Amino acid sequence: MTLRPIVLTAIPLFILHAVEEYFTNFYHVDESYLWVRNTILLGISNDTLAFVAYQTVFILLLLIAYVFVQRQKVVAVLIGLVFVLELSHLFLGLMEGRYYPGLVSSLPLIGVGFVYWHTLLYRSTSS
């Protein structure tokens, strides 16, 4: 298996994940997103608009990364790190002992991330 089909599978899952985060007000409670909004998205004062812009750019970057993931090791590792970051939903939900915004749709992404890293590491050692 190669990385491209895994990334292609993940893109609609990330879109679903963004929708869950939007409807559960993730952008009002998550410290990492609030940091991004306050440091990178300074020009957008509307919280909802900033989150939608952030997610749109992220999905576009995933589509671009899809093209380069097989040929560029750095791109492959960066995408892999995004999957690792999805673990934060699970950890924060467990730490708070309740649902954390984005938790439900992060679970399949964590599974896809496991397959992704397995493929990336196996491909690296077998080539």
Side-chain angles (χ1 to χ4, degrees), residues 38-91:
N38 292 334
T39 3
I40 298 172
L41 302 173
L42 292 173
I44 304 174
S45 59
N46 181 306
D47 287 344
T48 305
L49 181 61
F51 181 73
V52 170
Y54 169 77
Q55 290 295 340
T56 302
V57 168
F58 175 71
I59 297 300
L60 290 173
L61 288 174
L62 276 178
L63 290 168
I64 293 167
Y66 167 76
V67 174
F68 296 104
V69 71
Q70 284 301 130
R71 295 176 283 190
Q72 297 292 323
K73 180 75 93 185
V74 172
V75 173
V77 170
L78 287 174
I79 292 174
L81 291 175
V82 171
F83 286 117
V84 171
L85 288 174
E86 290 307 318
L87 286 167
S88 68
H89 292 282
L90 181 60
F91 291 133

Side-chain angles (χ1 to χ4, degrees), residues 104-119:
V104 174
S105 58
S106 72
L107 297 176
L109 284 168
I110 292 167
V112 171
F114 178 79
V115 173
Y116 181 90
W117 275 103
H118 179 269
T119 304

